[in-house]
Amino acid sequence: MPSPTIPRRRPTVPVTAALTAVVSAALLGAADWPAAPAENGARAENGAPAENGAERARRLFLDHGPKAAVMTAAHRGQWRKAPENSVAALRAAFADGAEIVEADVRMTKDHVPVLMHDATVDRTTNGKGRVSDLTLAQLRGLRLRAGLGGRQAPLTGERVPTVADALKAARTLGLVNLDQAWEDREAVWRVMEETGTVRNGLFKSRAPVPEVKAFLGRHKDALYMHVVEDANAASVGEFGKDRPPAFEVVFDDVRDRVAAPAFARGLRSTGRVWFNTMRDGFAARFTDEASLIDPARGWGRLIAAHGATVLQTDNVRALRSYLTTGAADRVPPGAVRVQAEGYAPGGEGKAYHDTDAGNRGDGPGRPGEGVDVCDHDGAVVICWMRGSEWLTYAVDVPKTGPYTLKVRASSPYEPAGTYRIAFDGGRPGRAVRVAGTTAHHAFFLQDSHDPRQLTRGRHTVRLSLDEGAFQNWNLDYLQLEPGGNSRRAPFVPGGRKFYVQLK
């Protein structure tokens, strides 16, 4: 029999046939989108200039009709391929299909708006200090760290961009959601005018409605989205007939007022409805990770029951895949995937070894067993991994041939640890390095580069952690893929081309 699995935690809203029908309709709408924007100078079939990505994104954003397709917004850009809030991450997000990139705005000491999420540069660069205490010249001297940053994230060749840099890069590519820019909106607006990117920027806030109306009255071409949650739900009515073209809805419980389907339908009738799915609490537990397990637990539910027409994500390519094909994290042809918590039965010493008693995690571990299981925003993972521990899995190989094991792992540490693989009771292979991914919630699939010849049928796999080596990483799943070519460069979050050697 296959390895037993623990039911993966899901939102407390049932998936229904009606949900499936609504989502199917949304995906059909996505199939009717125009083709990708043509290169500069290209023309449409009727001889008119071809629509570029930014023009298409703005047109889509202003379309709130019943057949409006769901749009993708990339949280801090495509940080899986470049540092968050970098020009490279912005470009990578658009290249992967996002129509909107979310970027965070801060003001320098000399009053230049730049991209930076935190009030300080400590997490994402090799510098220290508050953005507001540093000049643009000082910021330009810093290097951005990979991915989501952190003390052990490698440095890259990317620099802190100004808002002008970002908007100029996005000019023909898409929209930029300027988060945290409201306080400095007039300064940011001047940058948009100076760079000719007024049609690219998207402001957002929870500001009092009269303040919003005054700004929009001064700047007729400004795109604006209002953030609503239970505390300010009444602000929707205060706009009267002059509603903004979109509302960002935030709720941490499906019983919240703004989570009610009737509330969503009211917003959807006049504009786009935006939800954030990166972490728990932005849209209850309807998260990216829950969606990767089953889209009906996240993205699909928000589309069907809550009227979502924009989803902000940390998993751009998976969301685009879902919106265009109906599948998110598809298992490759011929591969076998085993969820980490689906280890073999038998208990301590037979199926696994754990160095401490009980489940130290917050996830749904097996009663009476000591394997640590955590829930990271919908990803049910093996956590608190330490040296000398091991886990055994049963896998059914579909065809005789060479196979390579990959693991979907996360860790803010570098290196995060090492493991060894043993098949069918044999000797463990060489040590496989687990690379840091810059955050506990930033999962990447990493190749072991340790191919094995396997026959068709049932096999056991033991994954053991080296004793004495540093170990602090999370394991989401194991994936056995056909093929034995392991001559690839070691895994680096975001790829190697952006990275430089630490000195």
Side-chain angles (χ1 to χ4, degrees):
M1 294 178 64
S3 297
T5 59
I6 300 168
R8 311 205 107 194
R9 191 179 299 181
R10 66 180 69 196
T12 58
V13 181
V15 176
T16 65
L19 182 150
T20 303
V22 173
V23 172
S24 296
L27 298 183
L28 287 172
D32 294 332
W33 289 0
E39 297 295 327
N40 290 341
R43 304 185 77 83
E45 290 183 4
N46 62 6
E51 185 179 50
N52 67 35
E55 292 165 341
R56 173 175 171 268
R58 186 179 177 96
R59 175 176 57 78
L60 288 174
F61 191 77
L62 295 173
D63 175 12
H64 59 265
K67 294 184 179 181
V70 178
M71 300 178 73
T72 300
H75 179 233
R76 304 182 196 173
Q78 180 55 296
W79 55 261
R80 294 179 179 278
K81 293 185 174 182
E84 68 166 62
N85 280 318
S86 66
V87 169
L90 178 146
R91 288 182 172 137
F94 288 131
D96 280 346
E99 297 89 4
I100 306 168
V101 168
E102 182 263 1
D104 303 285
V105 178
R106 295 279 177 178
M107 218 60 164
T108 67
K109 183 177 181 179
D110 44 351
H111 308 294
V112 178
V114 296
L115 298 196
M116 183 71 59
H117 178 272
D118 298 357
T120 73
V121 300
D122 300 22
R123 176 177 62 85
T124 57
T125 78
N126 59 337
K128 291 185 177 181
R130 298 182 65 83
V131 178
S132 58
D133 292 335
L134 300 171
T135 65
L136 177 61
Q138 290 173 311
L139 285 170
R140 292 291 205 194
L142 304 178
R143 286 176 170 170
L144 289 171
R145 294 190 178 276
L148 296 174
R151 290 181 306 164
Q152 297 190 30
L155 289 176
T156 77
E158 293 292 308
R159 306 287 178 166
V160 177
T162 63
V163 167
D165 295 332
L167 289 171
K168 285 188 284 188
R171 189 196 307 273
T172 62
L173 301 178
L175 301 180
V176 180
N177 173 28
L178 300 160
D179 200 3
Q180 303 181 157
W182 187 251
E183 183 178 345
D184 300 300
R185 56 194 176 277
E186 294 295 347
V188 172
W189 180 261
R190 286 193 295 273
V191 170
M192 294 166 67
E193 289 184 319
E194 291 165 2
T195 55
T197 56
V198 164
R199 296 176 64 82
N200 293 89
L202 170 62
F203 290 93
K204 62 178 272 190
S205 81
R206 293 178 173 83
V209 173
E211 182 177 300
V212 173
K213 286 188 171 184
F215 176 75
L216 297 178
R218 292 191 300 273
H219 308 297
K220 302 297 184 182
D221 292 332
L223 274 186
Y224 175 79
M225 175 172 66
H226 200 62
V227 183
V228 292
E229 52 196 339
D230 274 9
N232 72 333
S235 65
V236 174
E238 294 176 34
F239 282 101
K241 295 182 179 180
D242 298 322
R243 286 187 178 185
F247 286 92
E248 179 182 311
V249 182
V250 180
F251 64 94
D252 59 6
D253 193 300
V254 294
R255 296 165 295 185
D256 288 355
R257 176 186 173 186
V258 298
F263 186 86
R265 285 195 297 271
L267 300 180
R268 180 70 182 81
S269 65
T270 62
R272 289 209 167 246
V273 184
W274 172 305
F275 291 98
N276 303 313
T277 59
M278 299 83 69
R279 309 291 299 274
D280 286 341
F282 294 136
R285 290 184 53 81
F286 302 125
T287 62
D288 290 344
E289 289 295 335
S291 303
L292 294 177
I293 299 168
D294 179 357
R297 303 183 189 183
W299 301 328
R301 187 71 205 180
L302 290 171
I303 293 168
H306 301 275
T309 53
V310 185
L311 294 172
Q312 182 176 195
T313 181
D314 277 330
N315 288 268
V316 175
R317 297 185 69 180
L319 175 55
R320 294 295 305 140
S321 174
Y322 171 62
L323 293 175
T324 54
T325 71
D329 190 15
R330 195 191 301 270
V331 180
V336 181
R337 181 180 296 173
V338 182
Q339 300 296 337
E341 73 275 16
Y343 57 92
E348 169 67 41
K350 182 177 180 181
Y352 71 87
H353 170 60
D354 197 278
T355 56
D356 47 62
N359 177 12
R360 298 179 65 189
D362 61 351
R366 296 182 192 172
E369 296 198 350
V371 176
D372 303 315
V373 181
C374 292
D375 186 329
H376 287 336
D377 301 298
V380 180
V381 304
I382 301 298
C383 54
W384 292 95
M385 299 178 75
R386 298 295 183 263
S388 80
E389 296 182 343
W390 51 265
L391 292 155
T392 303
Y393 296 88
V395 295
D396 292 315
V397 174
K399 183 179 179 180
T400 298
Y403 288 82
T404 301
L405 187 74
K406 297 181 180 181
V407 298
R408 188 172 190 253
S410 72
S411 176
Y413 302 102
E414 179 59 48
T418 58
Y419 67 89
R420 298 174 189 266
I421 309 164
F423 282 89
D424 302 318
R427 292 176 61 85
R430 61 178 178 79
V432 179
R433 171 181 171 271
V434 180
T437 65
T438 71
H440 278 303
H441 63 277
F443 288 91
F444 286 83
L445 191 62
Q446 303 188 28
D447 196 328
S448 69
H449 302 292
D450 188 7
R452 305 294 180 90
Q453 184 73 20
L454 299 174
T455 59
R456 181 178 181 273
R458 172 63 56 89
H459 293 268
T460 61
V461 181
R462 176 175 289 190
L463 187 148
S464 57
L465 278 61
D466 283 354
E467 185 173 6
F470 176 82
Q471 307 281 355
N472 195 330
W473 53 289
N474 308 291
L475 176 63
D476 183 29
Y477 60 69
L478 298 82
Q479 189 158 286
L480 199 59
E481 296 186 8
N485 183 8
S486 63
R487 295 181 180 179
R488 295 192 300 174
F491 168 83
V492 177
R496 302 189 64 82
K497 70 177 182 178
F498 293 115
Y499 297 88
V500 297
Q501 293 294 320
L502 287 169
K503 297 181 178 179

